[in-house]
Amino acid sequence: MLDLAAHIIETKKGHFTPADYTDRYEALLADLVRAKLAGKKPRLARRPAAGGVVSLLDALRESAGTPESGTPSPHRDQNSPRPSRTRRRAG
């Protein structure tokens, strides 16, 4: 495995030249500043199409294999009393 890792590193390594890369964030920010200085409204970026929104809590429940809220848990004894949902006031 060590030989394989060394081979992969050897084939992937190269010389890094920073001038070969552009900072798109900096360029877009500079365009935004120029537009504001010129009194123009900035153009808005396209938003991704709506849909496919997932509830994080539901996804977590599904990945953990627990039922939806409101349904009794198979791990809880059905004859045991449910915990109280009312809050007690400090006396």
Side-chain angles (χ1 to χ4, degrees):
M1 291 306 268
L2 190 56
D3 290 337
L4 178 60
H7 172 72
I8 292 172
I9 291 171
E10 191 63 35
T11 58
K12 297 291 183 182
K13 76 179 184 179
H15 183 70
F16 176 72
T17 308
D20 292 344
Y21 299 93
T22 58
D23 185 354
R24 292 179 299 188
Y25 177 79
E26 185 177 334
L28 290 172
L29 185 61
D31 289 344
L32 177 65
V33 170
R34 279 191 220 102
K36 284 196 162 249
L37 287 173
K40 297 178 184 175
K41 285 190 174 186
R43 58 189 166 120
L44 300 175
R46 283 186 272 147
R47 292 185 177 225
V53 176
V54 177
S55 165
L56 186 57
L57 187 56
D58 290 341
L60 182 59
R61 282 187 182 123
E62 184 179 322
S63 71
T66 58
E68 294 292 318
S69 61
T71 58
S73 171
H75 302 290
R76 189 174 65 80
D77 180 13
Q78 297 301 320
N79 296 326
S80 66
R82 291 187 70 112
S84 173
R85 295 196 183 264
T86 59
R87 297 177 81 177
R88 294 183 184 177
R89 289 189 178 177

